Amino acid sequence: MNRTILFAFIFTQNLLFAQFSQRSLSSENWQFKNSKDQKWLPAKVPGTVHLDLLDNKIIPDPFKDGNEKKVQWIENEDWDYQAAFTVSSHELKNDNIDLVFKGLDTFSEIYLNGQLLKKTDNMFRKWTIPVKSYLKSGNNTLQIKFKSAVNTGKELAKKVPFTMPESPRSFVRKAQYQFGWDWGPRLVTAGIWKDIQLEFWNNAKIITVKDIQKKVSDTSNDLRFDVEIYAQNAGDYTLDLNTTHQKISLKKGNNTISVPYETSGMKLWQPNGRGEAHLCDFEVKLSKDQKNIDAKNIRIGLRTVELVQEKDEKGKSFYFKVNGQPLYIKGTNWIPGDSFSPRMTKEKYQKLIKDTKDANMNMIRIWGGGIYEDDEFYKACDENGILVWQDFMFAGSFYPADEAFLNNVKEEVKDQVNRLQNHPSIALWCGNNEIDEAIVNWGYQKQFNYSKNDSLQVWKDYKKLFHEVIPNALAENLKSDKNIYWPSSPSIGWGHKESLTEGDSHYWGVWWGEQPFEIYNEKVGRFMSEYGFQGTPSLETTKSMFSGIPDLNLQNPTIKAHEKHTRGWDIINEYLKRDYKIPTDFVQYNYVSQLLQARGMQIAIEAHRRAKPYNMGTLYWQLNDCWPVVSWSSIDYLGNWKAFHYQAKRSFEPVLVSIAETEKSYDIYLISDLVKELNSDIKFELIDFKGKTLWKSNHSDNIKADVSKKIRSISKSELGQFDLSKAVLKISSEKDTTFEKLFFFNKPKDLKLLKPEIKIRKISPTEIEISTDMLAKDIYLIGDTHFSDNFFDLLPGTLKRIILSKPLEKVELMSFWDVMSNENL
């Protein structure tokens, strides 16, 4: 017997004895075509029509040059996909065969062997279709016909008697960012964007396994698992959960079996900065007559999460307790990592989440205009101790509330909640992004000439969707320990004073309102869930925008096309004039633009952290990009840390020194997120740019756990004899916890810097040492590697060691003096 026949025999025998099995159809030979055409072309699944057209060299790369607009015809076409696959006679002997689509984008008709099985209308739903009666032994043909989401959305919009903003995107249940955003291109996709499987099963199958945690502490844990089982045949079965063994009786249809589990010896899952993110693996097995029928594996973490909102003298609190302890939230907002989601790899997910952990963060908000992310995203958050604020996928528009739309959303919520709820990282479910604010503040009613009844209908529809349908669906699919729901982020728009005294706040007075960065010191809310400022991406990512030799020039049409905010360049330049000077050289402009972004965000984050516990969270906009672009991100599309991400890492340190300037003094705060008391001998030194100490003072203090405390106030008169444009205040401690802060008294453009001689000494292929003879401000290390620190200040007479992610033959650098010295302006 040759190996091929032996393998086929063993595979067939396994199928005969196995009660549940599945196989992917994604690897079959898929084809696609424009529905108007006759010729079929090769396609990939999972994928999108844009990627398939790109692979077949029919369209140029939408991310390069000005090609985005050249490919927008795709959104108005209908597209067909098909594949042939075989089913053996042995497979057909299974009692049940389901065809499972994990993601179809978006309006489709599914045909099997010429028979219409189903029509779909939601990118975010899982579609399970019994197909045994449609299959035949041997070759079978699966065809999926996709209708244009744009054209379908326009038809749906006609059914509403008034104009909806952002129409037609709000009528289609697909990723809203694909219709274009002020950081992303308009690339409205279609296609099979997730895996397709055939599932074979007999007798019964496990539908869901849910961990229920009523009480969690270091000494007492109350844990059980609710196992939902669908039984085709009633009878006696056995359910195993790791080492537990339970005889059960199932009725025909749906059954829920509760299995208590002893947790002694299991450690708590802790968020980043509070301990290890301990995870526990469980296997649930269903068997009958000593034959395995089905099995599921889940990984959970023991933890509790609470959202605390209590009235106080200043308004109402908004903070998270994790494992019974208040947690100051430090983090960011997430958008999809690519305009074409199937292109996201496990490695890219893991890297971006690791980058948040390395920057001392403990939460990511998944923004409501994107997608419910791949399992790998949540797995990475679980492993790295990153909590997830999960928006449902609604953003910045008005949404319909007809029966069909609401039922569609209800099933969407059910599918996503059942998929995600066991992840210990999930902290909160949020109804939408900025829709309450859009209705109340954005003036759409006036813009589109709504009648009073139109406006009342919009609000009625909003309440129906986000205050009834979604919370009711959550209650049906979650136990109370997992059901923390917040209807809209923010709860109150940034122009209203209440936005800073209760709920969560999106503060956009900086950037949109063009207020100075210093306004962040005043506009501090209870929980800051959005705020931000744009910066250019790395030079490497900027060059990737071009299909040919890059012309790095601010007037270049390609670079202009990769700034999606209509006034983006004007706003950046206005802020540059305030704090810096505008370089004419593009490389220097790129560098200073990043410094500007980092400076603004440092002011914001430190103001939020100083206000603890009035403020208990800060999530900046945004972590990542979906294409090469000038944006609010701290990490660009190719994964490079911008100056902002390096600064975020410093500003999110567990122990932070921050200085607030008042009319008469410099108030110095020490903020600790540690769970232990901190004893510090703190040194204050005023140092000129040549390294000479002009003034010094010492201070000893005991800092309680988890506080922000003003430890010292230095009057301006005390430093009045010194030229502070030539000096820096160094605050440091080497007791208990080592920290150092350099504080400059003037805006960067007003500093009287001296030319530094910066030296680099190679210690090993992946380690270098930096030194300087004069203060070197904002040292920028340049090279195709990741530097453990970058865009940093260095005092004369000190050494700084930097780790490289991979060796470089030569490391280049520049500093702020190079850009701002007169001969370069």
Side-chain angles (χ1 to χ4, degrees):
M1 185 180 293
N2 68 40
R3 289 186 177 183
T4 302
I5 296 174
L6 177 62
F7 173 80
F9 174 78
I10 293 172
F11 178 74
T12 302
Q13 293 304 304
N14 285 339
L15 282 177
L16 287 173
F17 289 111
Q19 295 293 305
F20 178 91
S21 62
Q22 61 188 26
R23 65 181 173 97
S24 174
L25 296 181
S26 299
S27 58
E28 303 292 341
N29 291 322
W30 282 92
Q31 298 175 304
F32 86 111
K33 68 178 182 67
N34 190 312
S35 62
K36 299 173 183 175
D37 298 337
Q38 299 298 316
K39 183 181 179 182
W40 291 90
L41 299 167
K44 292 179 182 176
V45 172
T48 74
V49 65
H50 291 76
L51 294 178
D52 291 328
L53 290 166
L54 185 61
D55 287 345
N56 283 277
K57 297 182 170 48
I58 294 172
I59 62 169
D61 188 338
F63 285 10
K64 294 186 181 296
D65 306 324
N67 293 340
E68 173 203 353
K69 295 188 183 303
K70 295 179 181 178
V71 303
Q72 287 179 354
W73 59 271
I74 296 167
E75 69 182 40
N76 297 310
E77 302 295 318
D78 300 336
W79 301 94
D80 299 341
Y81 280 75
Q82 71 174 21
F85 63 96
T86 60
V87 176
S88 70
S89 58
H90 294 290
E91 288 176 313
L92 286 173
K93 290 180 180 178
N94 285 278
D95 292 341
N96 303 280
I97 306 175
D98 293 337
L99 183 58
V100 181
F101 298 89
K102 295 189 175 181
L104 294 174
D105 180 13
T106 292
F107 296 96
S108 77
E109 295 176 349
I110 303 168
Y111 294 86
L112 181 57
N113 295 326
Q115 296 291 311
L116 176 64
L117 300 183
K118 195 165 190 71
K119 295 182 179 181
T120 76
D121 57 358
N122 192 320
M123 177 181 180
F124 305 123
R125 286 179 60 183
K126 177 181 176 181
W127 307 94
T128 301
I129 308 169
V131 293
K132 181 174 179 179
S133 61
Y134 299 95
L135 291 168
K136 58 186 180 182
S137 180
N139 288 329
N140 294 263
T141 300
L142 178 61
Q143 188 173 74
I144 306 166
K145 294 177 173 290
F146 291 96
K147 297 292 184 183
S148 161
V150 171
N151 294 337
T152 305
K154 288 177 180 177
E155 291 301 312
L156 292 170
K158 292 178 182 178
K159 298 178 181 180
V160 177
F162 49 85
T163 301
M164 299 272 265
E166 304 293 338
S167 183
R169 73 167 170 85
S170 57
F171 290 90
V172 298
R173 293 309 302 139
K174 75 186 268 85
Q176 303 284 275
Y177 80 109
Q178 295 178 354
F179 293 82
W181 225 266
D182 54 8
W183 39 257
R186 183 180 176 104
L187 296 167
V188 185
T189 62
I192 306 165
W193 75 293
K194 289 196 172 185
D195 193 27
I196 304 175
Q197 293 179 335
L198 279 176
E199 293 185 350
F200 308 89
W201 61 280
N202 303 280
N203 287 309
K205 66 175 178 178
I206 299 170
I207 306 299
T208 61
V209 180
K210 302 177 180 180
D211 72 296
I212 316 297
Q213 300 180 28
K214 284 188 177 179
K215 182 174 57 177
V216 179
S217 71
D218 289 330
T219 58
S220 177
N221 304 317
D222 187 353
L223 174 65
R224 80 170 196 269
F225 293 86
D226 282 0
V227 184
E228 183 185 357
I229 302 169
Y230 180 85
Q232 181 187 25
N233 302 313
D236 295 329
Y237 294 76
T238 300
L239 189 66
D240 293 322
L241 176 66
N242 283 6
T243 58
T244 67
H245 186 77
Q246 186 171 330
K247 299 286 188 181
I248 59 174
S249 293
L250 299 179
K251 68 179 188 298
K252 185 174 181 178
N254 285 317
N255 301 259
T256 299
I257 308 297
S258 289
V259 184
Y261 195 86
E262 173 58 47
T263 61
S264 59
M266 293 172 60
K267 296 180 179 180
L268 292 183
W269 182 93
Q270 295 285 9
N272 185 34
R274 282 286 173 88
E276 294 298 316
H278 293 288
L279 295 168
C280 312
D281 292 307
F282 291 88
E283 182 181 35
V284 181
K285 291 192 294 186
L286 180 68
S287 57
K288 183 174 177 60
D289 301 328
Q290 297 184 331
K291 290 183 180 179
N292 290 334
I293 291 177
D294 197 1
K296 282 193 182 296
N297 295 292
I298 68 169
R299 172 175 278 192
I300 71 163
L302 286 180
R303 96 290 182 271
T304 57
V305 176
E306 305 164 67
L307 175 61
V308 181
Q309 297 186 79
E310 297 173 337
K311 289 186 177 180
D312 55 31
E313 68 280 3
K314 296 179 180 179
K316 186 187 289 187
S317 67
F318 190 104
Y319 68 93
F320 290 89
K321 277 187 178 181
V322 180
N323 298 327
Q325 299 297 318
L327 178 70
Y328 189 89
I329 296 299
K330 300 179 289 190
T332 185
N333 285 259
W334 170 280
I335 66 167
D338 203 296
S339 289
F340 308 119
S341 295
R343 198 153 59 177
M344 281 291 287
T345 63
K346 290 183 177 182
E347 292 76 17
K348 188 169 182 178
Y349 276 119
Q350 288 284 347
K351 180 187 180 301
L352 282 167
I353 301 306
K354 181 64 162 53
D355 286 343
T356 66
K357 180 180 181 179
D358 290 346
N360 301 301
M361 300 185 205
N362 56 28
M363 180 178 276
I364 290 177
R365 172 179 173 244
I366 297 185
W367 169 75
I371 62 173
Y372 306 95
E373 286 295 339
D374 186 82
D375 292 343
E376 193 67 25
F377 172 92
Y378 303 95
K379 176 177 178 286
C381 289
D382 292 344
E383 293 168 349
N384 287 282
I386 305 297
L387 293 162
V388 174
W389 170 313
Q390 177 69 61
D391 280 8
F392 289 101
M393 294 301 116
F394 303 88
S397 183
F398 303 167
Y399 287 82
D402 57 272
E403 185 176 2
F405 188 88
L406 295 178
N407 286 336
N408 199 355
V409 171
K410 181 179 178 181
E411 293 302 313
E412 171 187 324
V413 172
K414 178 182 178 181
D415 285 351
Q416 295 300 333
V417 165
N418 282 336
R419 177 173 73 98
L420 300 176
Q421 65 172 286
N422 289 327
H423 289 281
S425 54
I426 297 284
L428 176 129
W429 309 93
C430 180
N432 68 77
N433 172 77
E434 295 186 349
I435 296 177
D436 185 306
E437 180 172 4
I439 294 173
V440 174
N441 293 332
W442 291 1
Y444 283 136
Q445 294 89 333
K446 182 177 180 180
Q447 178 183 344
F448 295 113
N449 197 28
Y450 281 15
S451 68
K452 183 178 180 180
N453 286 337
D454 294 339
S455 297
L456 289 173
Q457 187 63 48
V458 166
W459 188 248
K460 181 181 176 181
D461 291 348
Y462 172 83
K463 298 284 281 189
K464 184 72 175 177
L465 179 55
F466 297 108
H467 289 262
E468 293 182 37
V469 170
I470 291 179
N472 289 344
L474 288 172
E476 290 173 10
N477 293 282
L478 291 172
K479 298 299 182 182
S480 59
D481 67 307
K482 301 281 183 69
N483 191 0
I484 303 175
Y485 178 66
W486 187 239
S488 185
S489 179
S491 49
I492 303 169
W494 62 267
H496 300 267
K497 64 179 182 179
E498 293 83 4
S499 69
L500 300 178
T501 61
E502 60 184 270
D504 71 316
S505 177
H506 294 191
Y507 181 69
W508 286 105
V510 171
W511 185 265
W512 282 99
E514 298 187 43
Q515 293 292 312
F517 288 144
E518 289 73 21
I519 199 72
Y520 280 131
N521 294 315
E522 302 172 26
K523 303 296 184 179
V524 177
R526 310 309 292 261
F527 191 102
M528 306 301 291
S529 49
E530 269 195 34
Y531 57 93
F533 195 87
Q534 284 196 353
T536 52
S538 67
L539 290 173
E540 176 193 8
T541 299
T542 303
K543 291 174 183 177
S544 78
M545 300 173 184
F546 294 82
S547 58
I549 298 173
D551 174 17
L552 298 183
N553 185 317
L554 287 172
Q555 303 307 313
N556 186 283
T558 292
I559 290 177
K560 283 187 172 183
H562 288 74
E563 162 62 273
K564 301 303 290 184
H565 191 283
T566 54
R567 294 193 60 248
W569 292 116
D570 292 338
I571 295 173
I572 292 171
N573 288 337
E574 175 58 34
Y575 278 84
L576 274 172
K577 285 189 289 185
R578 296 174 189 176
D579 288 2
Y580 293 85
K581 296 176 183 176
I582 304 178
T584 55
D585 174 77
F586 181 85
V587 173
Q588 294 183 353
Y589 185 97
N590 177 278
Y591 163 63
V592 177
S593 163
Q594 291 194 43
L595 296 182
L596 176 74
Q597 181 189 27
R599 172 177 164 79
M601 295 301 91
Q602 177 185 8
I603 292 170
I605 293 170
E606 292 194 10
H608 301 160
R609 292 192 67 189
R610 285 197 305 270
K612 175 182 174 178
Y614 178 84
N615 169 275
M616 283 297 288
T618 179
L619 302 175
Y620 67 80
W621 184 267
Q622 67 209 57
L623 175 70
N624 57 318
D625 285 323
C626 66
W627 76 316
V629 66
V630 179
S631 85
W632 293 266
S633 71
S634 63
I635 299 176
D636 69 27
Y637 176 69
L638 295 183
N640 299 299
W641 286 27
K642 294 157 74 168
F644 174 18
H645 203 78
Y646 285 101
Q647 182 56 53
K649 179 179 180 180
R650 299 178 201 117
S651 294
F652 285 148
E653 287 282 358
V655 177
L656 174 72
V657 175
S658 181
I659 294 90
E661 182 178 359
T662 69
E663 184 180 350
K664 295 184 178 181
S665 66
Y666 301 100
D667 294 343
I668 300 167
Y669 290 77
L670 198 149
I671 302 108
S672 172
D673 293 331
L674 302 177
V675 294
K676 63 179 182 179
E677 186 175 278
L678 182 66
N679 298 310
S680 293
D681 291 333
I682 304 170
K683 295 170 61 178
F684 303 87
E685 300 172 87
L686 186 68
I687 302 171
D688 71 14
F689 294 162
K690 294 181 180 180
K692 180 182 177 182
T693 299
L694 306 174
W695 170 96
K696 61 183 178 180
S697 176
N698 294 316
H699 177 80
S700 295
D701 211 333
N702 294 328
I703 309 298
K704 292 182 180 179
D706 206 18
V707 297
S708 171
K709 180 182 179 181
K710 184 165 72 172
I711 59 171
R712 175 84 191 264
S713 184
I714 303 175
S715 68
K716 290 185 174 179
S717 60
E718 190 172 356
L719 303 179
Q721 61 182 301
F722 305 109
D723 183 351
L724 298 182
S725 65
K726 298 180 178 180
V728 60
L729 180 64
K730 177 184 175 184
I731 305 167
S732 61
S733 175
E734 296 181 359
K735 185 177 180 181
D736 280 7
T737 297
T738 299
F739 56 81
E740 180 177 296
K741 174 79 169 187
L742 298 181
F743 174 75
F744 294 89
F745 298 88
N746 295 74
K747 289 187 175 185
K749 69 177 182 179
D750 297 325
L751 295 174
K752 297 175 182 176
L753 297 173
L754 302 170
K755 182 178 181 179
E757 183 180 344
I758 304 170
K759 294 182 179 179
I760 299 177
R761 184 172 73 89
K762 181 182 282 190
I763 297 173
S764 75
T766 57
E767 187 173 8
I768 58 176
E769 185 177 77
I770 316 291
S771 62
T772 179
D773 64 336
M774 301 287 178
L775 170 86
K777 183 148 183 58
D778 299 312
I779 294 175
Y780 173 30
L781 304 174
I782 304 168
D784 182 22
T785 190
H786 175 74
F787 298 98
S788 59
D789 199 4
N790 210 343
F791 302 94
F792 54 84
D793 303 325
L794 190 63
L795 288 168
T798 60
L799 301 173
K800 188 173 184 69
R801 290 200 172 190
I802 302 292
I803 304 299
L804 286 60
S805 62
K806 61 181 181 181
L808 278 184
E809 189 66 31
K810 182 181 180 182
V811 176
E812 297 182 349
L813 62 79
M814 69 169 65
S815 75
F816 190 55
W817 187 90
D818 297 317
V819 175
M820 304 309 288
S821 59
N822 289 330
E823 60 260 37
N824 290 305
L825 290 172

